[in-house]
Structures are given as structure tokens and as C-alpha cells.
Amino acid sequence: MNIPDGILCSKTHEWVLEEDGCVSVGLTDWAVEQLGDIVFIELPEAGSTFNKDEVFSTIESVKAASEIYMPISGEIVEVNEQLINSPELINDDAFSAWLIKVKPQDFQQDSQGLLEYDDYKDEVQ
Amino acid sequence: MTTMTDKKTSLYDEHIKLNAKMVPFGGWIMPVQYEGIIKEHHATRNFAGLFDVSHMGEVYIKGKDSLEFLEYIVPQNLSQLKEGQAIYCQLPNKEGGLIDDLIIYNAKNIIEDVDYLIVINASRIDFDVPFMEKEAQKFDVKVINKSDDFSMLALQGPNSQYIIDKMGVNIDNQPEFFTFKKVLLDDCPVFLTRTGYTGEDGFEIIFEHKYASKLWNKILSYKDEFMVVPVGLGARDTLRLEAGLPLYGHELNENTTPLESSLGFFIPKEKEKDYNGKKLILGQKLNQIPLRRKLFAFIMEDRQIARNGYEVYIDNKKAGIVTSGAPSPTLGKNIGFCMIEFENLPSDLVAKLNNIKENIGTKIQIMVRNKLYNARIAKKPFVKKNYKK
């Protein structure tokens, strides 16, 4: 698995990657590993806005449903529709399977509480 | 999280070696999955799956009144149960609710100085044993809890018989469906039973702890020849759900009779002797006493997955609760069981639900994250059983 440069992770196991003012959000490889086979995902609609720490999605493995939290505040500009019919893509590669793209409200401020990938890994292991 | 009090089976180190994900279950720390629930599920249906079920409890019954005692604590007739035969039973309380479900084996001339072997649920050992001991006071019988003395494996799936064959018990000598034998398996003395909890042909193997690692590794050594894989509790749950088999604490509990849990098939219409809960259980069996609630199988029509505890609605009114729910890897649909409470439902709807010819296809709704989604009552099992009878 390729871990993209500049990725930041939340303590609730979401990753964010900022590129040209747009932030991709996904689930960390550690979280995906814990969930096991992913069989269903509910994604929000593009155009909706969420605050940091709000639930924006629910993901289901064979065993259980888990909520996914917004790591930053902002407006959802794009949803990865491919995942709705092929949620297993998240198992295949957690970092290429982004869930949503967000136009952040204040990335500078919101990203302060996020961890570099290596620090995140230390934290969860 | 696991706690210090969770018990480990003899195979704990083997699970860790295989990188299993371990979870607490019924007072034990058990593997929930190795390589993935879906893969393990399909491997069991198509080839063979090996499960550590050492957490299950075993009880010996012996004494002059063994048969009379057992017939008093289960609704079934056991006098026709021959040596080596097994029968699926329930353990009702005085009111007809279920303390546990169990398999009773006639062990005479198979286990020395023992009349019956009972296999019980791990999470219910602490309830079953004191209850049986108390009931046993009225009989000349001994109840001996052997749960700490045995390990247990389940080998399930169509290739199981070939693996057992390779390990020293020829296909022709293998116990038939719902019977057991004492055999040497790879030179280890074991009780080999033709039972399981997946809906597939297969075996359960009961033996002393010291043979656990040897048997576990020997069976898994057939991974290339017979495609056997280790299987955790995750796939055990989806397999038993597809096969329409109930799980204690979900489909079965102290407030629900066997008839209400859709186990009426297993309740004999005729039994002269008295048994715990007989009035209600037999009354419901003979349609003389109405059911207060009933367990139904259902299939989701929407893509959402129903989970244990979700609310069930009929015609937008709350009518019950989901007892188990999961995606079915075999069907590619989301399936489950729900307990519908009859108390507040219109009588014509209750009549329809009680009619096994008419209830299939009845529309229900499941509340998933504050929204109602469609489902329909379905026939159980969801997936045809593949027993070798």
C-alpha cells in the first residue's frame, strides 16, 4: 500500500490530504484492517456541509456498523460514487479509496489537531 | 476490550500465530477472524473450515434415573435415543422460557461410566449447570460439569469427511448424521460427532486439551489438498444465520418459548411425562395457547443491513426487534431474524403471521439509523442445508 506524502490522520481514524485547496477524506489502513470485509457504505450528498467531529458517513463490515467523523469542517464537493457499489475497494487500498472531497472552512486551524501518519501509527499500535 | 478474566482456550497461541483478530465472547477470548469473514465463510461452504469451539461446555449425566431426569428437563422424548445417537434439545425454565439449547448424546458404552453427554453454550454454563444440579436433587442422578476438561474443534464443509478419512477414520467408519463415536483421530483419542452449526456436513471433535495443538495443526496441514482454512466467530455467525440456526441470547432467551422461537418442529406433540414448562410449551404446540411473540426470518429489500437490537415496524407501527442480522455472503443479500410481539398487533395480522403458508413475503420495515427500510419475511433456512444423511 502506498501512503501518500502529506497525509494527516485523526484520532478517530480518518485521513485527510490537502491538494490545491481541496481536501480528500478517507479511512486509515489501520481502521480498515480493524473493520475487516467492508460490505456497505452510506455517503452524504455533495453540497451538504458538516462541522468537524460530526458524523458524515456510516460504514458496515460483515460484523458491525461504524460511524465516520468529519476530521475538518467544510462543504462536501464530491462523493466517491464508485464505493457505493464496490465498497470492497476500501479494503483493497485504504488510501486510494477516498470517501469524500471537501472544500474546507479553515484547514489551517482544523488540521492542527491532526497527526502525521507515523505519529498516528505510533498512537494506535 | 478484553479483560483479565477472559479465559483462553488451549489453542490461543495457535490463533495468535495465525494473526487472528481476538475478541471477548461469552467470557472467553476467541478468534473473530483470520484472513477475512467472507473468505472463511465461502471456504466452509465450498471446501472446509476449522473452528476452535473449545469454549462450549460439556456435561456428563450418570445414574439410575438419567433418562427420567433428562426427560424432565427437556421437552423431547429420549427413550428412543439409541447408544451413539444425538438429539437437538432445549432447556426450558419452569415458565417455558429457554435457559439454553443443547445437544444430548446417548453415551452409554461409549464414554466409560457415563449415560449421557450434553454439549451446552459457553455463555450459559454458569446458568445450566446450577439449574440441572438443582433439578437433579429429585432424581438418583449425577450432573458432572466437564467443561474445563475438554477442548473442541468443529470441522465443517463438504471436504471435512476426506480430511477425517486421511486422519485415520475411513469414510465408511465415520459416524452418521447426529451420531457420535469414540475413535483415534491421528492417534489421539477423541469423541467424533457428525454435528455442527453451519448447515454443512461436518464434524465436532471433543478431546483432552493436550491434543489440541496437534489436531489443529494436522487438520490445517490439509490446506492445499482439501482447501481447509481456520474460521473465526464472524463467519460462524453468518454461516449459522444462513442455515437458519438460532443463537442463545439472540433468538433464544428466558422469556421466549421454543414455539415462539420457531423451534416448534423439535417439540413432540405427544409426551406423557411431565417436563419443565410443559403446560405452555405443549399448549402452544397444540395451538391451545396463543403465541405471545414469534421469531421470523427476513430478507432486506433495501441495501441497509439490519443489526441486533434494531426496531422492526409493520405498517409504520413498532412491532418488534431484530435479534440477529448480517450480510449473507452466499446470497449476496442482507438477512436476519426478528422477534415480532403479537400483543399490540391487529388480530387478522397475527393470524396471517401465524399461518406458515401465508406469512412468507409479509412486508416489514427495519429502523436503520432513524430511517425505515423495507424487508420481507422469508423462509428459513436462507441457504439449503447440506447434511450428509
Side-chain angles (χ1 to χ4, degrees):
Chain A
M1 195 174 309
N2 197 12
I3 295 138
D5 284 342
I7 219 158
L8 296 172
C9 300
S10 71
K11 288 182 179 172
T12 49
H13 316 295
E14 293 83 20
W15 58 259
V16 302
L17 184 64
E18 196 258 353
E19 284 167 309
D20 305 325
C22 180
V23 178
S24 307
V25 177
L27 273 177
T28 66
D29 54 344
W30 187 87
V32 171
E33 173 75 26
Q34 296 307 306
L35 289 169
D37 295 321
I38 292 165
V39 292
F40 180 74
I41 186 161
E42 252 174 16
L43 290 167
E45 292 194 10
S48 49
T49 57
F50 289 88
N51 291 323
K52 184 175 157 72
D53 299 330
E54 237 184 301
V55 174
F56 74 91
S57 161
T58 304
I59 194 162
E60 304 227 26
S61 66
V62 178
K63 249 346 246 170
S66 311
E67 294 180 324
I68 310 178
Y69 300 91
M70 278 296 266
I72 57 167
S73 300
E75 182 191 338
I76 293 169
V77 291
E78 201 182 340
V79 169
N80 191 348
E81 303 277 353
Q82 218 190 346
L83 298 180
I84 292 169
N85 285 319
S86 305
E88 68 280 1
L89 291 171
I90 303 168
N91 289 112
D92 295 345
D93 185 344
F95 293 108
S96 59
W98 56 275
L99 309 182
I100 52 169
K101 293 192 176 175
V102 180
K103 192 172 136 198
Q105 212 175 66
D106 188 345
F107 187 70
Q108 207 66 15
Q109 161 137 20
D110 284 350
S111 61
Q112 278 174 13
L114 303 176
L115 302 167
E116 307 250 344
Y117 182 74
D118 290 342
D119 296 335
Y120 165 78
K121 273 292 217 196
D122 288 343
E123 188 108 339
V124 293
Q125 264 152 12
Chain B
M1 293 305 282
T2 61
T3 65
M4 294 296 282
T5 53
D6 286 326
K7 289 192 272 186
K8 292 174 181 172
T9 73
S10 304
L11 293 165
Y12 178 82
D13 292 342
E14 303 296 338
H15 303 317
I16 299 297
K17 263 189 242 166
L18 289 166
N19 223 352
K21 197 179 293 168
M22 305 298 286
V23 297
F25 180 84
W28 294 79
I29 169 114
M30 298 297 290
V32 67
Q33 68 165 70
Y34 301 84
E35 284 193 52
I37 294 174
I38 294 175
K39 190 185 160 191
E40 292 163 29
H41 180 106
H42 289 309
T44 307
R45 287 260 179 268
N46 297 317
F47 308 109
L50 180 64
F51 308 68
D52 177 11
V53 288
S54 301
H55 58 312
M56 300 289 288
E58 297 86 8
V59 174
Y60 283 168
I61 304 295
K62 60 186 233 180
K64 187 169 71 66
D65 294 340
S66 288
L67 176 64
E68 287 66 29
F69 165 66
L70 287 178
E71 287 204 320
Y72 183 69
I73 65 167
V74 304
Q76 283 72 25
N77 291 305
L78 302 179
S79 56
Q80 300 302 312
L81 191 73
K82 297 191 188 101
E83 288 172 17
Q85 285 184 336
I87 181 171
Y88 172 68
C89 296
Q90 304 78 39
L91 184 68
N93 58 29
K94 303 284 177 191
E95 288 76 44
L98 293 186
I99 298 169
D100 202 358
D101 64 341
L102 25 90
I103 294 183
I104 296 179
Y105 297 85
N106 184 335
K108 283 182 207 103
N109 294 318
I110 297 173
I111 307 177
E112 201 182 331
D113 202 21
V114 172
D115 294 320
Y116 294 91
L117 161 69
I118 312 180
V119 174
I120 61 180
N121 282 303
S123 62
R124 303 302 293 171
I125 298 171
D126 293 344
F127 298 86
D128 296 0
V129 174
F131 178 81
M132 288 186 203
E133 282 171 345
K134 189 158 177 275
E135 295 299 293
Q137 288 169 6
K138 291 167 250 171
F139 298 88
D140 182 0
V141 71
K142 276 207 176 88
V143 174
I144 306 161
N145 182 9
K146 298 288 284 180
S147 303
D148 289 338
D149 296 5
F150 291 117
S151 290
M152 185 166 168
L153 294 176
L155 178 60
Q156 301 278 297
N159 283 355
S160 303
Q161 55 183 328
Y162 306 118
I163 295 170
I164 297 296
D165 181 271
K166 288 263 178 179
M167 290 173 73
V169 185
N170 299 337
I171 289 198
D172 294 341
N173 286 329
Q174 291 172 5
E176 291 172 3
F177 185 64
F178 259 74
T179 70
F180 87 119
K181 282 182 174 179
K182 188 176 176 179
V183 297
L184 285 177
L185 193 64
D186 198 36
D187 299 324
C188 305
V190 306
F191 303 126
L192 183 65
T193 81
R194 200 70 173 259
T195 49
Y197 194 44
T198 60
E200 295 300 322
D201 180 32
F203 300 86
E204 290 174 299
I205 312 164
I206 304 170
F207 48 85
E208 288 176 42
H209 298 308
K210 60 184 172 189
Y211 306 117
S213 287
K214 185 186 171 191
L215 287 169
W216 174 264
N217 286 308
K218 182 70 183 183
I219 292 171
L220 290 183
S221 75
Y222 295 105
K223 65 177 191 293
D224 295 326
E225 200 172 348
F226 295 118
M227 318 283 276
V228 58
V229 302
V231 184
L233 292 177
R236 186 169 163 82
D237 196 47
T238 52
L239 287 159
R240 69 93 191 169
L241 196 56
E242 284 185 348
L245 302 170
L247 173 62
Y248 195 89
H250 290 251
E251 286 72 40
L252 312 177
N253 62 59
E254 294 245 20
N255 299 317
T256 308
T257 65
L259 277 293
E260 291 164 342
S261 286
S262 287
L263 297 176
F265 172 79
F266 298 100
I267 305 300
K269 269 188 190 154
E270 285 177 24
K271 181 164 171 177
E272 271 182 35
K273 284 185 209 161
D274 193 23
Y275 60 86
N276 285 327
K278 182 178 182 183
K279 198 179 154 221
L280 186 54
I281 293 171
L282 198 61
Q284 288 184 337
K285 173 74 185 183
L286 300 174
N287 293 319
Q288 292 161 350
I289 301 176
L291 305 183
R292 301 162 296 182
R293 54 187 68 89
K294 189 165 164 59
L295 187 79
F296 292 98
F298 66 85
I299 299 177
M300 296 296 294
E301 303 216 304
D302 289 315
R303 291 191 52 192
Q304 277 66 17
I305 301 167
R307 304 281 186 184
N308 177 33
Y310 287 9
E311 291 178 348
V312 179
Y313 287 71
I314 301 181
D315 300 331
N316 294 310
K317 270 189 288 207
K318 199 190 162 202
I321 206 151
V322 174
T323 55
S324 293
S328 156
T330 306
L331 298 180
K333 293 175 183 170
N334 298 324
I335 62 173
F337 281 127
C338 64
M339 190 66 77
I340 304 285
E341 297 291 335
F342 286 165
E343 199 185 347
N344 295 318
L345 294 186
S347 55
D348 55 332
L349 180 58
V350 172
K352 183 185 172 191
L353 288 171
N354 268 321
N355 186 328
I356 47 166
K357 284 184 188 130
E358 282 185 23
N359 61 19
I360 305 299
T362 303
K363 260 191 170 173
I364 61 171
Q365 297 154 300
I366 314 282
M367 180 80 86
V368 181
R369 294 180 282 281
N370 297 318
K371 267 193 223 166
L372 289 176
Y373 294 95
N374 294 321
R376 278 181 197 272
I377 288 176
K379 239 187 179 149
K380 71 169 189 174
F382 296 99
V383 172
K384 201 172 150 275
K385 293 192 176 99
N386 260 324
Y387 298 139
K388 195 180 172 189
K389 291 194 196 184

